[in-house]
Amino acid sequence: MEKYLRKCLDSLIVSDENMQRLEVLVINDGSKDSSSQIAHEYEAKYPQTFRVIDKENGNYGSCINRGLKEATGKYVKVLDADDYFDRAVFDDFLNHLKRTEADLILNAGYRVDENGKELSMWSYSFPHDEIIQYRFVRNCKMHSVTYKTDNLREINYYQTEGVSYTDQEWVYWPMTTVKTICYFNLFLYNYLIGRPGQTMDKDIYLKSLKHELVVQKRMIELWETGHKALKEHRSYIEFRLNNRMSILFSIYMTKRGRVCLQDLYDFDVAVRKEFPIYYQYSSNTFLLGDKIRFHYLRYWRKNHTIFPYNILCFIKLWYTNHIANKQ
C-alpha cells in the first residue's frame, strides 16, 4: 500500500482541536514494502493521534480484530489504506461524533479512480443529523458505517482471519446491536476501484471464491445460533445472508463452470450437516431472480448440475412476455 498510504493518512490530519480527540491506529499487516516506514513518519510527527501497530500477516480480519483490541475511542470506523476521506468533511464528521449518541452513524461516499475522478456515489434517504430508531438499511456499505465501540465489544465481535472478503461481516452481525441511527449526509469516504491487485478485481475474485465460502459459512453459523433472538433486525440479517448466498451460487453456476462445482458441492454438504435449520430455510428462499418464482438452489441440490442456460433464457423470456401481455 506504499503507493496509496500517504494520501490515506493525509486525509486524517484535521484541525488541532479534533487531532487531540482523534485516535488513528495504523495496522501494518506484515507488509514487505515501505508502508511501515511511512506510517511511523506520521506517528513521529503526530504522536498524540497516530499509533502504528506492526504485526505478522493475518489478512484483513486480523487487522480489524487487532484494531478493536487496541481502540480507546467512543466510536470506531475502518479506512482501507488505498482509500481516503475528504479531509474537510472528516473534520465536520468528528464534530458530528462529538454531539451524537447514536449506535450507528452512516455517511455518504464516492467511488473514485486512481486520479481521484468520481465515478459514482452512494447516499441514504434518512434525515441529516437526526437520531432515529433503527430502520432496515438495504444497501448498507462497510465504508458507510461507524459503530459505537462498546456495541462491538458487547457481542465480542471477531472477524474471520486468514481469508479475504471478510468486510461482509463488518456490516452483518454488529448491526444486531444497533438501536439508533444518525445519518451524516456529506460525502466523506472515497473508495478507490480499479487498482491492480485489488481483491474485487474480476480475475482475482474468481480465483479467491473459496474465501467467500469460508465467510459465508461463518455468517450462517451466526444466524443459526442467534436467529431466534432476532427481532427488528431479522429482515436485515436475513437479507444480507440470503443475498450473499444467492450471489455465490449464481457466480459458481455461471462464471466458474462445472470444474469448480465440487467446491460448491462440498460447501453445501457442510451446510446441510452443520446448519440443518438454515439449510432447510435456504431451500425455500433463493429464486432465479427477484420476480421469477423458480427455486434454482432447490433444483441444484436435487440434481447437482447447472440449470441449462437455454432453459434459463426461456424462463426469463416467458416472464417478460407474460408481464407484457398482462399490461
Side-chain angles (χ1 to χ4, degrees):
M1 291 294 108
E2 61 184 0
K3 179 180 177 181
Y4 307 96
L5 190 54
R6 290 189 187 279
K7 187 170 187 176
C8 173
L9 299 183
D10 282 344
S11 75
L12 301 173
I13 300 171
V14 289
S15 62
D16 290 342
E17 180 183 357
N18 280 332
M19 287 290 276
Q20 295 298 322
R21 63 170 56 94
L22 172 65
E23 176 183 59
V24 178
L25 302 177
V26 185
I27 316 296
N28 172 37
D29 192 36
S31 65
K32 303 300 183 183
D33 60 12
S34 63
S35 293
S36 179
Q37 177 185 339
I38 293 170
H40 279 283
E41 290 176 16
Y42 285 78
E43 182 181 51
K45 189 172 182 179
Y46 306 100
Q48 79 281 12
T49 303
F50 286 82
R51 182 153 65 95
V52 181
I53 299 172
D54 292 302
K55 57 181 282 299
E56 293 183 0
N57 180 264
N59 221 308
Y60 194 88
S62 70
C63 295
I64 302 297
N65 295 335
R66 182 62 183 275
L68 286 177
K69 182 179 179 180
E70 303 281 347
T72 63
K74 178 181 177 182
Y75 286 98
V76 61
K77 185 171 185 61
V78 176
L79 174 62
D80 291 344
D82 53 349
D83 299 334
Y84 56 95
F85 291 151
D86 181 303
R87 184 158 56 176
V89 173
F90 185 48
D91 210 27
D92 289 341
F93 182 72
L94 292 172
N95 293 330
H96 175 79
L97 293 184
K98 187 170 56 174
R99 62 177 181 265
T100 190
E101 289 293 333
D103 295 320
L104 169 70
I105 293 87
L106 292 172
N107 62 266
Y110 291 112
R111 298 173 188 85
V112 299
D113 64 16
E114 293 216 34
N115 297 317
K117 180 181 178 182
E118 296 165 4
L119 304 176
S120 60
M121 50 79 75
W122 74 85
S123 60
Y124 301 89
S125 57
F126 297 136
H128 174 63
D129 200 11
E130 178 182 328
I131 296 179
I132 61 174
Q133 294 301 303
Y134 170 80
R135 297 180 192 171
F136 182 173
V137 188
R138 188 178 183 89
N139 64 334
C140 186
K141 303 181 184 303
M142 74 157 294
H143 305 307
S144 293
V145 302
T146 301
Y147 291 116
K148 264 190 178 176
T149 311
D150 286 346
N151 284 31
L152 296 168
R153 290 177 176 153
E154 172 188 318
I155 58 172
N156 296 314
Y157 179 74
Y158 179 85
Q159 201 155 304
T160 303
E161 298 188 2
V163 295
S164 301
Y165 310 112
T166 60
D167 54 341
Q168 295 296 323
E169 298 176 25
W170 188 246
V171 287
Y172 183 61
W173 209 251
M175 201 65 66
T176 63
T177 70
V178 174
K179 296 180 176 63
T180 54
I181 299 174
C182 191
Y183 179 37
F184 179 75
N185 188 23
L186 292 177
F187 290 84
L188 170 65
Y189 203 103
N190 291 284
Y191 171 46
L192 176 64
I193 59 174
R195 171 178 64 82
Q198 198 169 29
T199 54
M200 291 313 297
D201 177 270
K202 179 182 176 182
D203 293 334
I204 293 176
Y205 180 75
L206 291 176
K207 290 178 182 178
S208 306
L209 264 177
K210 281 188 177 182
H211 292 201
E212 283 270 31
L213 296 180
V214 173
V215 173
Q216 187 69 14
K217 190 175 176 182
R218 173 92 194 288
M219 292 170 69
I220 293 171
E221 179 183 11
L222 289 168
W223 180 89
E224 181 127 329
T225 57
H227 75 280
K228 291 182 179 179
L230 292 175
K231 295 179 181 177
E232 63 268 24
H233 302 90
R234 177 180 296 278
S235 294
Y236 174 83
I237 291 298
E238 292 182 350
F239 167 77
R240 298 291 305 198
L241 180 57
N242 296 339
N243 187 57
R244 292 307 304 168
M245 192 80 156
S246 181
I247 289 172
L248 280 173
F249 271 79
S250 297
I251 290 173
Y252 267 97
M253 290 178 177
T254 60
K255 297 291 194 296
R256 297 303 301 268
R258 296 176 185 274
V259 70
C260 296
L261 283 180
Q262 185 64 43
D263 295 340
L264 190 63
Y265 176 76
D266 293 342
F267 166 76
D268 204 47
V269 168
V271 171
R272 184 180 63 196
K273 290 180 178 178
E274 298 176 38
F275 312 111
I277 298 174
Y278 183 76
Y279 187 85
Q280 183 60 42
Y281 166 76
S282 62
S283 289
N284 299 317
T285 301
F286 306 131
L287 306 177
L288 182 63
D290 289 341
K291 299 178 180 178
I292 302 176
R293 306 297 298 180
F294 178 79
H295 296 269
Y296 68 82
L297 179 54
R298 192 161 58 200
Y299 173 91
W300 183 84
R301 283 173 170 168
K302 180 179 179 181
N303 298 280
H304 295 137
T305 185
I306 299 175
F307 199 65
Y309 179 76
N310 60 331
I311 298 181
L312 291 182
C313 292
F314 172 77
I315 293 174
K316 291 180 180 180
L317 180 62
W318 173 86
Y319 177 78
T320 302
N321 293 336
H322 178 68
I323 295 300
N325 290 336
K326 271 192 167 185
Q327 294 174 344

